[in-house]
Amino acid sequence: MGATITRSVEQQLAVRIAVGELIYEPHRTGGSLRRVQPDAQLFSARPRPETSLPPQPRIFGREDVLDTLRSTLELGGSVVLQGRPGGGTTSVLRFLAHDPIVERFPEGVVFLDGAGGRGDDLVQRVVEAFHVCDRPGFGLRMSDDEIDRCLADRQALVIIDHADVAQHHLERLAGLLPAGAVVLGTSVALTGPVATTIGLDGLGPAAAVELIGREFARPLNVVERSDVAPLNAALGGRPLSLVQAAARVRMERGTVQDPAPSPEIVVRDLLDHDRGRATTQVAAAAMAAFWPTRLNAAALSAVLSGPGDLDDSLTELVDLGLATGDEPVGHTIDPALIERIGARFDLTAILAAAGPRLVSWAETESSDEAIADVAPAAAHAAAWAIGAGRPDDAIALARAFERSVATTRRWQLWGELLDHAVHAASGTTVDPHEEAWAYHQAGTRALAVGHVDAGRDLLRHALRLRTSLGDDVGAAVTRANLEVVTQDRSRRLLAAGAGVSFLVAALLALTMALGGGGDADPEEAQPAANVAATTDAAPATTPAPPTTAAATSAPTTIDPLAPPPPPAGVDVAVTDEGVRVSWTPGGDDVAGYEIVRDGETVASISGPADDWVDDDATAGATHGYSVVALDADANRSLPSPPIAAEIPGTPAGDDDDESDGRGPTTPGSVTATVDPGGVIVTWAPSQDRSGIGSYVVRRDGADLTTAGPEATSAVDAAPVPGATHTYEVIALDVDGNPSASGGPATVTIEAADTTPPSAPGSIGLGQEPTSEPPAVVVSWGEATDNTGVVGYRILRSGAVAATTSADQRVLADPDWRSGRYGDVDGCGETFVDYAVEAFDEAGNTGPRVSFTVTLPPSC
């Protein structure tokens, strides 16, 4: 019995999180908040940071980048290493983690893989590497000021790979350790300086030869080495593309001299059903559907409903160069392949099935850490479900995952899941109990992280819903959380009252001193001094890192001015002009109103008003209308209870000749990335009542291409070298109504290299009589080029006899007889003409140097 009670207590403790002066405890009805004793010892600093280093990889041709990293770290600065996906950033950072440069940091190195992490959550992981919990079952969240104090003196090197977060988060991460250093690897296109930024270029020819040799598990021969240079140039030196090329050579038993495989060829090979790769194909399709979210083995198994050979499939995808990543963070597909995979698989069907499958998996998994590792995929699925008109799926995903995300202290991801739940709950078809839970949970989290005003408004809305539903248990939890805000406000008002008392006493004393109070006893001024002595004062010294729950962070100051009450007397009527929404005007404190239709603000009205007409309602639909009041400081009231209105007419899509006249939502998250195949433009899907018909991608204001309704990317295969292009995306519904323009996304294309190399140095010829057969030895001097010579071609009697790399300038030619001319049939003198020319990475060829070798008579 005692052991059972102990386990029960430990289980309850394991889900408590200390957030400032609060303890958060999750429950099925929604998390509850309570205050803790200020002397509760919970946390202390680690003597040395906790870390786990990745294995040291083999690295190819990155010494210049490593030297720059070392120089910057020697000077005590932080670095951002920026490179495109598959460009080799991970290898450089993992190599750096084992470099001797880390010895200059007394507290060692902390290595984090940030793939799928959010900016605030990466900060949390850095803090937890330097802090330890003294009592089991509690998590920790500090304020920004406390984080700065905690990390101010830590002399460690923090390396974060895959820090693909917004630029302001990169700036925050780069400045975390002023006494140490931070190195961030990211594929985010930066718009301004973030610490010292180093761009990771493609591999050079020599490094490409090494990489291909590793993939072949043997040294390359002379012919293969010479063939790698043009292959590497065609692929832009991208390591992942080189791995793909080597994999295809292995599959086809071809040679490096074969043309570099296009993405179409790679996908064709992968999707060839005769090769027995059914599970591998579906795994690649799932990664394409969820890109850029990474899927670890557990998430992939849940999304695909558990095929048994996923480990083998993941290994094959990585070996083929089609996917990157490792466990437990997860894998993602090469973005260059997404459009091709999407043309062969129904990615929408994968996403539609993923939500319920992820929920089912989370409900049977017992490890919070494992569930939280899969939560980025759940957030991706929830966002898709909202856009696809499946709000119940989005709420179910939030319910299944948010507890584990909260208890593992992934604050930003937690907020993202709850935002999706609130967004989904704003629809008119959602169970009001689920709506109440979503508002309660979002409000509770907002209070916990210090967003007091927003949290209070959300909780009030949840309380009103739960009360109207007769949910006494849920209402009690919501009411208790609101009382936490009331307690905090009361304490602050008492403090303010003490300050006013002190001020009044001081003014009375001053009045008595200046207004004839000279006969008063000086001791009568003492009470004012006593008041001053008992008021709280700021400490004179910098506080130490937090050691108690109460010291971890303080909630944001509460605004004593409450927002206006919701508008009263709201009524909705369908008229010939549209839907008329009316209400009783508010008092003098109301400065305007917002009209909310189906959870979305559709109109803003300044000044006094008592009605508004919606002339854009959808025929045949049922809309829900609410009204929000605003005061002069833009504080918003809670929305009035929604009122439904049925709009007469034929729904869009029932009459092929009638359009709803409204365009889709704007395509979101438009990005443009330069790739060897051109510029890849990606976007987030739009939504429309009648359905998306297509997407139009525009370059520099002119239509470039049209993509299908399920597409989320397109390729500009012919960008202008040296130009700066701006891309926008417009969605069209099935009736041809356009959305607003999404974007812009701007990229600069490198100018084409048109400068040929110089002529090679003087050519020399000799013989090697001891070889069998005897060879003619051709040698030549080095050529120069503005971007670097990558190789030389040796021509014999006008035909290419051999190609060498840039560092090989001697050729023994055993086939010289095929180029002989002169007295070939007799025994007199014969001649062979040789020429050498240099070429660069862009394929420019320099002038030739030539020489004729005279061979003596043979009889």
Side-chain angles (χ1 to χ4, degrees), residues 605-687:
I605 304 170
S606 298
D610 60 5
D611 72 341
W612 174 80
V613 176
D614 181 7
D615 59 2
D616 195 27
T618 303
T622 299
H623 292 310
Y625 292 88
S626 299
V627 184
V628 175
L630 292 83
D631 64 17
D633 296 321
N635 294 312
R636 303 173 76 253
S637 74
L638 289 174
S640 63
I643 298 177
E646 294 185 5
I647 316 302
T650 303
D654 289 357
D655 186 346
D656 294 337
D657 297 328
E658 184 175 348
S659 167
D660 64 7
R662 300 183 65 185
T665 59
T666 306
S669 305
V670 177
T671 64
T673 306
V674 180
D675 192 78
V679 176
I680 299 176
V681 183
T682 63
W683 60 89
S686 299
Q687 286 83 44

Side-chain angles (χ1 to χ4, degrees), residues 639-859:
S640 63
I643 298 177
E646 294 185 5
I647 316 302
T650 303
D654 289 357
D655 186 346
D656 294 337
D657 297 328
E658 184 175 348
S659 167
D660 64 7
R662 300 183 65 185
T665 59
T666 306
S669 305
V670 177
T671 64
T673 306
V674 180
D675 192 78
V679 176
I680 299 176
V681 183
T682 63
W683 60 89
S686 299
Q687 286 83 44
D688 188 82
R689 294 180 181 83
S690 58
I692 300 298
S694 62
Y695 292 92
V696 176
V697 180
R698 312 194 79 198
R699 184 181 77 185
D700 303 333
D703 291 357
L704 174 69
T705 187
T706 300
E710 303 297 334
T712 56
S713 67
V715 177
D716 178 5
V720 179
T724 296
H725 290 312
T726 298
Y727 296 87
E728 299 169 287
V729 181
I730 297 172
L732 301 175
D733 64 17
V734 293
D735 298 314
N737 299 309
S739 71
S741 176
T746 301
V747 295
T748 299
I749 313 302
E750 290 186 5
D753 176 15
T754 59
T755 304
S758 68
S762 58
I763 192 171
L765 295 165
Q767 285 187 292
E768 189 178 314
T770 58
S771 64
E772 183 56 41
V776 171
V777 178
V778 186
S779 62
W780 59 93
E782 184 178 9
T784 59
D785 184 71
N786 62 322
T787 61
V789 173
V790 298
Y792 298 90
R793 280 185 286 270
I794 299 86
L795 298 93
R796 182 197 319 113
S797 297
V800 177
T803 302
T804 72
S805 61
D807 56 356
Q808 181 184 348
R809 295 197 297 279
V810 177
L811 175 71
D813 180 20
D815 299 324
W816 55 270
R817 288 180 180 82
S818 64
R820 249 186 340 170
Y821 67 93
D823 187 10
V824 176
D825 297 327
C827 60
E829 289 184 330
T830 58
F831 313 95
V832 184
D833 294 332
Y834 284 95
V836 182
E837 61 188 19
F839 59 90
D840 62 18
E841 192 169 14
N844 300 308
T845 301
R848 298 174 181 175
V849 294
S850 57
F851 192 89
T852 301
V853 59
T854 302
L855 303 171
S858 58
C859 58

Side-chain angles (χ1 to χ4, degrees), residues 337-350:
L337 308 177
I338 292 175
E339 186 173 358
R340 280 81 182 184
I341 293 175
R344 302 290 294 272
F345 285 93
D346 186 354
L347 304 186
T348 300
I350 294 174

Side-chain angles (χ1 to χ4, degrees), residues 366-401:
S366 59
S367 167
D368 281 334
E369 285 289 346
I371 295 173
D373 286 342
V374 176
H380 187 114
W384 179 88
I386 291 171
R390 302 174 63 158
D392 291 336
D393 283 0
I395 293 177
L397 283 160
R399 268 195 177 274
F401 282 85

